[in-house]
Amino acid sequence: MTQTLTIDIWSDVMCPWCLVGWGGLRQALDQLDGEIDAQVRWHAFELNPDMPEEGEERTAHIARKYGRTMEQSRGVQDQMREAAQRAGVSLDYEGGEPAPPAMMWNTLAAHKLLTWVLEEHGPEKQTQLKLALFHAHFNQRRRIGEADVLLDIAEEAGLDRAGAQAALESEEYTAKVRAEERGAYEMNITGVPAMVVAGKFLIPGAQPAEAYADTLRRVAEKVADAG
């Protein structure tokens, strides 16, 4: 009998390891097909809440934030791309030439959209938008710190543009994003991705598919024994 588990993922659209973690989780759930069915919900975590509106070039950002040289920063990104390939996802630019610079953006507005979609349209539509934002950022290098770009992405995902714009302009959704970020802090989540299964079992960081599958099986057994 298939058991349903909730998986709450704290994540940032700018975070390559969050996409890698998602890829590993999807591979694990494919392995567990028929055993475990997951309801995934995404929650806000800003890696760079003070990122200015104009953004920052990615290689320079990694070098500055983590005290690396530019060469070391490029090496880190190579490692991320290799991990993404193993997880069945891509961090590679897929657009035309010349390629725009790979940038880091402020993601508060993106999180407001994701929070709105979960409330209004449910977890499946939220995941669809989350993956569309990942694709827009990593593979298309769109300026997802800008409201018009976010509205275009929302509309492309089949969402109502006027509703999305109202969410972006809403201070209520700003407060909800901040509350989700405080919730992460209260659970001692200091890095992402961080997955909380069945409301209480934390899986930190991007894991290989086998590790996710093993953990989900063990959690499913504990939930079944408790209920």
Side-chain angles (χ1 to χ4, degrees):
M1 189 169 101
T2 302
Q3 184 165 352
T4 299
L5 294 176
T6 59
I7 304 178
D8 291 285
I9 307 177
W10 273 260
S11 162
D12 196 357
V13 178
M14 295 290 103
C15 171
W17 292 114
C18 293
L19 180 56
V20 172
W22 166 254
L25 177 64
R26 283 306 326 165
Q27 290 175 335
L29 291 172
D30 287 343
Q31 295 175 22
L32 298 170
D33 186 38
E35 294 181 54
I36 293 173
D37 184 31
Q39 182 184 71
V40 175
R41 300 177 296 203
W42 299 86
H43 302 282
F45 190 102
E46 292 177 87
L47 288 173
N48 302 288
D50 299 324
M51 180 66 68
E53 184 177 339
E54 65 271 17
E56 185 177 13
E57 195 277 326
R58 186 169 64 202
T59 303
H61 169 80
I62 293 172
R64 177 188 62 78
K65 184 173 181 177
Y66 300 104
R68 310 286 180 90
T69 65
M70 293 292 279
E71 182 177 356
Q72 288 171 331
S73 177
R74 284 187 284 270
V76 168
Q77 293 177 78
D78 288 341
Q79 293 171 8
M80 291 174 181
R81 281 191 289 271
E82 292 169 4
Q85 290 174 356
R86 291 192 295 272
V89 295
S90 173
L91 297 172
D92 295 330
Y93 176 63
E94 298 172 354
E97 299 298 333
M103 299 289 291
M104 303 291 288
W105 306 105
N106 188 294
T107 54
L108 173 61
H111 287 304
K112 290 172 70 171
L113 271 189
L114 289 163
T115 302
W116 165 71
V117 171
L118 179 61
E119 283 191 2
E120 295 296 322
H121 300 282
E124 289 187 9
K125 198 66 179 179
Q126 188 199 34
T127 293
Q128 182 184 346
L129 179 62
K130 181 75 172 188
L131 298 182
L133 289 167
F134 277 143
H135 189 259
H137 175 58
F138 292 111
N139 308 122
Q140 298 176 324
R141 295 190 182 174
R142 294 165 76 175
R143 301 173 66 88
I144 65 169
E146 297 181 3
D148 285 345
V149 175
L150 287 172
L151 293 175
D152 288 344
I153 295 167
E155 196 168 26
E156 290 160 14
L159 295 163
D160 175 62
R161 190 181 185 96
Q165 183 167 356
L168 289 183
E169 294 171 354
S170 167
E171 288 305 314
E172 179 183 357
Y173 279 107
T174 300
K176 288 179 178 180
V177 168
R178 298 301 184 216
E180 287 194 343
E181 292 174 333
R182 285 194 300 274
Y185 177 79
E186 289 167 0
M187 288 187 288
N188 294 317
I189 293 172
T190 57
V192 288
M195 304 184 188
V196 177
V197 184
K200 55 184 177 180
F201 301 97
L202 174 65
I203 308 175
Q207 305 284 343
E210 294 72 19
Y212 282 130
D214 180 63
T215 301
L216 291 174
R217 278 197 180 102
R218 286 189 283 111
V219 171
E221 290 172 2
K222 289 180 181 180
V223 171
D225 290 344

Short mmCIF file of all heavy atoms in Angstrom, two decimals, residues 8-46:
data_model
loop_
_atom_site.label_atom_id
_atom_site.label_comp_id
_atom_site.label_asym_id
_atom_site.label_seq_id
_atom_site.Cartn_x
_atom_site.Cartn_y
_atom_site.Cartn_z
N ASP A 8 8.34 19.17 3.27
CA ASP A 8 8.45 20.62 3.24
C ASP A 8 9.90 20.99 2.97
O ASP A 8 10.80 20.58 3.72
CB ASP A 8 7.98 21.21 4.58
CG ASP A 8 6.48 21.04 4.77
OD1 ASP A 8 5.73 21.78 4.11
OD2 ASP A 8 6.07 20.17 5.56
N ILE A 9 10.12 21.75 1.89
CA ILE A 9 11.48 22.07 1.46
C ILE A 9 11.73 23.56 1.62
O ILE A 9 11.07 24.39 0.96
CB ILE A 9 11.72 21.66 0.00
CG1 ILE A 9 11.35 20.20 -0.23
CG2 ILE A 9 13.18 21.91 -0.38
CD1 ILE A 9 11.50 19.75 -1.68
N TRP A 10 12.67 23.90 2.48
CA TRP A 10 13.15 25.28 2.55
C TRP A 10 14.25 25.43 1.50
O TRP A 10 15.18 24.62 1.42
CB TRP A 10 13.68 25.61 3.96
CG TRP A 10 12.58 26.08 4.85
CD1 TRP A 10 12.29 27.37 5.18
CD2 TRP A 10 11.60 25.29 5.54
NE1 TRP A 10 11.19 27.44 6.00
CE2 TRP A 10 10.75 26.17 6.25
CE3 TRP A 10 11.36 23.92 5.61
CZ2 TRP A 10 9.69 25.73 7.03
CZ3 TRP A 10 10.29 23.47 6.38
CH2 TRP A 10 9.48 24.37 7.07
N SER A 11 14.11 26.47 0.68
CA SER A 11 14.92 26.55 -0.52
C SER A 11 14.95 27.98 -1.03
O SER A 11 14.08 28.79 -0.71
CB SER A 11 14.30 25.63 -1.59
OG SER A 11 14.75 25.93 -2.88
N ASP A 12 15.96 28.29 -1.84
CA ASP A 12 16.03 29.58 -2.54
C ASP A 12 16.18 29.33 -4.03
O ASP A 12 16.90 28.40 -4.45
CB ASP A 12 17.20 30.42 -2.03
CG ASP A 12 17.09 31.89 -2.42
OD1 ASP A 12 16.14 32.26 -3.15
OD2 ASP A 12 17.96 32.68 -2.01
N VAL A 13 15.54 30.14 -4.84
CA VAL A 13 15.62 30.01 -6.29
C VAL A 13 17.05 30.19 -6.79
O VAL A 13 17.43 29.66 -7.83
CB VAL A 13 14.67 31.02 -6.96
CG1 VAL A 13 14.77 30.95 -8.48
CG2 VAL A 13 13.24 30.77 -6.53
N MET A 14 17.86 30.95 -6.06
CA MET A 14 19.24 31.20 -6.47
C MET A 14 20.17 30.04 -6.15
O MET A 14 21.34 30.06 -6.54
CB MET A 14 19.81 32.42 -5.71
CG MET A 14 19.17 33.75 -6.01
SD MET A 14 19.54 34.37 -7.65
CE MET A 14 17.99 33.99 -8.46
N CYS A 15 19.69 29.04 -5.43
CA CYS A 15 20.55 28.02 -4.84
C CYS A 15 20.73 26.83 -5.77
O CYS A 15 19.78 26.04 -5.94
CB CYS A 15 19.95 27.57 -3.51
SG CYS A 15 20.75 26.13 -2.78
N PRO A 16 21.91 26.64 -6.36
CA PRO A 16 22.11 25.48 -7.24
C PRO A 16 21.96 24.15 -6.50
O PRO A 16 21.45 23.18 -7.07
CB PRO A 16 23.53 25.67 -7.78
CG PRO A 16 24.21 26.58 -6.80
CD PRO A 16 23.13 27.46 -6.27
N TRP A 17 22.40 24.10 -5.24
CA TRP A 17 22.27 22.85 -4.49
C TRP A 17 20.82 22.49 -4.23
O TRP A 17 20.48 21.31 -4.05
CB TRP A 17 23.06 22.92 -3.19
CG TRP A 17 24.53 22.98 -3.41
CD1 TRP A 17 25.38 24.01 -3.12
CD2 TRP A 17 25.35 21.94 -3.99
NE1 TRP A 17 26.67 23.69 -3.49
CE2 TRP A 17 26.68 22.43 -4.02
CE3 TRP A 17 25.09 20.67 -4.48
CZ2 TRP A 17 27.74 21.69 -4.53
CZ3 TRP A 17 26.13 19.92 -5.00
CH2 TRP A 17 27.45 20.42 -5.01
N CYS A 18 19.94 23.51 -4.22
CA CYS A 18 18.51 23.22 -4.05
C CYS A 18 17.96 22.50 -5.28
O CYS A 18 17.14 21.58 -5.15
CB CYS A 18 17.74 24.52 -3.81
SG CYS A 18 18.15 25.30 -2.22
N LEU A 19 18.40 22.90 -6.47
CA LEU A 19 17.99 22.20 -7.67
C LEU A 19 18.60 20.79 -7.70
O LEU A 19 17.91 19.82 -8.06
CB LEU A 19 18.41 22.98 -8.91
CG LEU A 19 18.04 22.35 -10.26
CD1 LEU A 19 16.55 22.07 -10.36
CD2 LEU A 19 18.51 23.23 -11.41
N VAL A 20 19.85 20.67 -7.30
CA VAL A 20 20.49 19.35 -7.22
C VAL A 20 19.73 18.46 -6.23
O VAL A 20 19.46 17.28 -6.51
CB VAL A 20 21.97 19.49 -6.82
CG1 VAL A 20 22.59 18.12 -6.54
CG2 VAL A 20 22.76 20.21 -7.91
N GLY A 21 19.39 19.01 -5.08
CA GLY A 21 18.63 18.24 -4.09
C GLY A 21 17.28 17.80 -4.62
O GLY A 21 16.85 16.66 -4.38
N TRP A 22 16.61 18.68 -5.35
CA TRP A 22 15.33 18.31 -5.95
C TRP A 22 15.51 17.15 -6.93
O TRP A 22 14.72 16.21 -6.94
CB TRP A 22 14.72 19.51 -6.65
CG TRP A 22 13.58 19.14 -7.55
CD1 TRP A 22 13.58 19.11 -8.92
CD2 TRP A 22 12.26 18.73 -7.15
NE1 TRP A 22 12.36 18.70 -9.39
CE2 TRP A 22 11.53 18.46 -8.33
CE3 TRP A 22 11.65 18.55 -5.92
CZ2 TRP A 22 10.21 18.04 -8.30
CZ3 TRP A 22 10.33 18.13 -5.89
CH2 TRP A 22 9.62 17.88 -7.06
N GLY A 23 16.57 17.22 -7.74
CA GLY A 23 16.83 16.14 -8.68
C GLY A 23 17.04 14.81 -7.97
O GLY A 23 16.49 13.78 -8.38
N GLY A 24 17.82 14.83 -6.89
CA GLY A 24 18.04 13.61 -6.11
C GLY A 24 16.76 13.10 -5.48
O GLY A 24 16.51 11.88 -5.44
N LEU A 25 15.93 14.01 -4.98
CA LEU A 25 14.66 13.61 -4.38
C LEU A 25 13.74 12.98 -5.41
O LEU A 25 13.10 11.96 -5.15
CB LEU A 25 13.99 14.82 -3.74
CG LEU A 25 12.61 14.57 -3.12
CD1 LEU A 25 12.70 13.60 -1.95
CD2 LEU A 25 11.97 15.89 -2.67
N ARG A 26 13.68 13.58 -6.61
CA ARG A 26 12.83 13.02 -7.66
C ARG A 26 13.31 11.61 -8.04
O ARG A 26 12.50 10.70 -8.25
CB ARG A 26 12.86 13.91 -8.91
CG ARG A 26 12.04 15.16 -8.84
CD ARG A 26 10.60 14.99 -8.48
NE ARG A 26 9.98 13.77 -8.98
CZ ARG A 26 8.84 13.28 -8.57
NH1 ARG A 26 8.17 13.88 -7.60
NH2 ARG A 26 8.33 12.18 -9.09
N GLN A 27 14.62 11.42 -8.14
CA GLN A 27 15.16 10.09 -8.45
C GLN A 27 14.77 9.10 -7.35
O GLN A 27 14.40 7.96 -7.64
CB GLN A 27 16.68 10.16 -8.59
CG GLN A 27 17.16 10.90 -9.83
CD GLN A 27 18.67 11.05 -9.87
OE1 GLN A 27 19.33 11.05 -8.82
NE2 GLN A 27 19.22 11.21 -11.05
N ALA A 28 14.83 9.55 -6.09
CA ALA A 28 14.46 8.67 -4.98
C ALA A 28 12.98 8.30 -5.04
O ALA A 28 12.60 7.14 -4.84
CB ALA A 28 14.78 9.35 -3.65
N LEU A 29 12.15 9.29 -5.32
CA LEU A 29 10.70 9.01 -5.38
C LEU A 29 10.36 8.10 -6.56
O LEU A 29 9.43 7.30 -6.47
CB LEU A 29 9.93 10.33 -5.47
CG LEU A 29 9.96 11.18 -4.19
CD1 LEU A 29 9.33 12.55 -4.43
CD2 LEU A 29 9.28 10.47 -3.03
N ASP A 30 11.12 8.20 -7.64
CA ASP A 30 10.92 7.26 -8.75
C ASP A 30 11.26 5.84 -8.29
O ASP A 30 10.56 4.88 -8.65
CB ASP A 30 11.80 7.65 -9.93
CG ASP A 30 11.28 8.88 -10.66
OD1 ASP A 30 10.11 9.25 -10.47
OD2 ASP A 30 12.06 9.49 -11.43
N GLN A 31 12.33 5.71 -7.49
CA GLN A 31 12.70 4.39 -6.96
C GLN A 31 11.62 3.85 -6.02
O GLN A 31 11.43 2.63 -5.91
CB GLN A 31 14.03 4.47 -6.20
CG GLN A 31 15.24 4.81 -7.07
CD GLN A 31 16.50 5.00 -6.22
OE1 GLN A 31 16.59 4.52 -5.10
NE2 GLN A 31 17.47 5.71 -6.77
N LEU A 32 10.94 4.77 -5.33
CA LEU A 32 9.94 4.38 -4.33
C LEU A 32 8.52 4.35 -4.88
O LEU A 32 7.56 4.29 -4.11
CB LEU A 32 10.01 5.35 -3.14
CG LEU A 32 11.34 5.38 -2.38
CD1 LEU A 32 11.36 6.54 -1.40
CD2 LEU A 32 11.58 4.06 -1.66
N ASP A 33 8.40 4.42 -6.20
CA ASP A 33 7.08 4.42 -6.82
C ASP A 33 6.29 3.18 -6.38
O ASP A 33 6.79 2.04 -6.45
CB ASP A 33 7.23 4.42 -8.35
CG ASP A 33 5.90 4.55 -9.05
OD1 ASP A 33 5.05 5.31 -8.57
OD2 ASP A 33 5.71 3.89 -10.08
N GLY A 34 5.09 3.42 -5.90
CA GLY A 34 4.29 2.33 -5.37
C GLY A 34 4.43 2.13 -3.88
O GLY A 34 3.57 1.50 -3.26
N GLU A 35 5.50 2.67 -3.30
CA GLU A 35 5.71 2.60 -1.85
C GLU A 35 5.33 3.90 -1.17
O GLU A 35 4.62 3.91 -0.16
CB GLU A 35 7.18 2.31 -1.52
CG GLU A 35 7.72 0.97 -1.93
CD GLU A 35 9.17 0.83 -1.52
OE1 GLU A 35 9.48 1.02 -0.32
OE2 GLU A 35 10.02 0.57 -2.40
N ILE A 36 5.86 5.02 -1.73
CA ILE A 36 5.69 6.32 -1.09
C ILE A 36 5.24 7.34 -2.13
O ILE A 36 5.81 7.43 -3.22
CB ILE A 36 7.00 6.79 -0.43
CG1 ILE A 36 7.35 5.87 0.75
CG2 ILE A 36 6.90 8.25 0.04
CD1 ILE A 36 8.71 6.15 1.35
N ASP A 37 4.23 8.11 -1.76
CA ASP A 37 3.76 9.22 -2.56
C ASP A 37 4.02 10.50 -1.76
O ASP A 37 3.67 10.55 -0.58
CB ASP A 37 2.27 9.08 -2.87
CG ASP A 37 1.76 10.17 -3.78
OD1 ASP A 37 2.55 10.65 -4.61
OD2 ASP A 37 0.57 10.54 -3.67
N ALA A 38 4.68 11.47 -2.38
CA ALA A 38 5.08 12.67 -1.64
C ALA A 38 4.22 13.87 -2.02
O ALA A 38 3.92 14.10 -3.19
CB ALA A 38 6.54 12.99 -1.91
N GLN A 39 3.84 14.63 -1.00
CA GLN A 39 3.24 15.94 -1.23
C GLN A 39 4.30 16.97 -0.85
O GLN A 39 4.66 17.11 0.32
CB GLN A 39 1.98 16.15 -0.39
CG GLN A 39 1.32 17.49 -0.66
CD GLN A 39 0.13 17.76 0.24
OE1 GLN A 39 0.30 18.00 1.43
NE2 GLN A 39 -1.06 17.71 -0.33
N VAL A 40 4.82 17.65 -1.85
CA VAL A 40 5.93 18.58 -1.66
C VAL A 40 5.41 20.01 -1.54
O VAL A 40 4.59 20.45 -2.35
CB VAL A 40 6.94 18.48 -2.82
CG1 VAL A 40 8.05 19.53 -2.68
CG2 VAL A 40 7.55 17.08 -2.88
N ARG A 41 5.91 20.72 -0.54
CA ARG A 41 5.60 22.14 -0.37
C ARG A 41 6.92 22.89 -0.20
O ARG A 41 7.81 22.43 0.53
CB ARG A 41 4.70 22.36 0.85
CG ARG A 41 3.37 21.61 0.76
CD ARG A 41 2.52 21.78 2.00
NE ARG A 41 3.15 21.20 3.19
CZ ARG A 41 2.48 20.81 4.27
NH1 ARG A 41 1.17 20.90 4.31
NH2 ARG A 41 3.12 20.31 5.31
N TRP A 42 7.03 24.03 -0.87
CA TRP A 42 8.25 24.83 -0.84
C TRP A 42 8.08 26.02 0.08
O TRP A 42 7.03 26.68 0.09
CB TRP A 42 8.58 25.32 -2.25
CG TRP A 42 8.81 24.22 -3.25
CD1 TRP A 42 7.85 23.58 -3.98
CD2 TRP A 42 10.06 23.63 -3.61
NE1 TRP A 42 8.43 22.63 -4.78
CE2 TRP A 42 9.78 22.64 -4.58
CE3 TRP A 42 11.38 23.85 -3.21
CZ2 TRP A 42 10.79 21.86 -5.17
CZ3 TRP A 42 12.38 23.08 -3.79
CH2 TRP A 42 12.08 22.10 -4.75
N HIS A 43 9.16 26.32 0.84
CA HIS A 43 9.12 27.42 1.80
C HIS A 43 10.32 28.35 1.59
O HIS A 43 11.36 27.94 1.09
CB HIS A 43 9.10 26.88 3.22
CG HIS A 43 7.94 25.97 3.49
ND1 HIS A 43 6.67 26.42 3.73
CD2 HIS A 43 7.87 24.61 3.51
CE1 HIS A 43 5.86 25.39 3.92
NE2 HIS A 43 6.57 24.28 3.79
N ALA A 44 10.14 29.57 2.04
CA ALA A 44 11.10 30.62 1.71
C ALA A 44 12.36 30.57 2.56
O ALA A 44 12.31 30.39 3.78
CB ALA A 44 10.43 31.99 1.89
N PHE A 45 13.48 30.74 1.88
CA PHE A 45 14.78 30.92 2.53
C PHE A 45 15.60 31.78 1.58
O PHE A 45 15.87 31.37 0.45
CB PHE A 45 15.47 29.58 2.76
CG PHE A 45 16.70 29.66 3.63
CD1 PHE A 45 16.66 29.29 4.96
CD2 PHE A 45 17.91 30.12 3.11
CE1 PHE A 45 17.80 29.36 5.76
CE2 PHE A 45 19.05 30.20 3.89
CZ PHE A 45 18.99 29.82 5.23
N GLU A 46 16.00 32.97 2.02
CA GLU A 46 16.81 33.85 1.18
C GLU A 46 18.29 33.69 1.53
O GLU A 46 18.71 33.98 2.63
CB GLU A 46 16.41 35.31 1.39
CG GLU A 46 15.02 35.66 0.88
CD GLU A 46 14.67 37.09 1.20
OE1 GLU A 46 15.02 37.98 0.41
OE2 GLU A 46 14.07 37.33 2.27
#
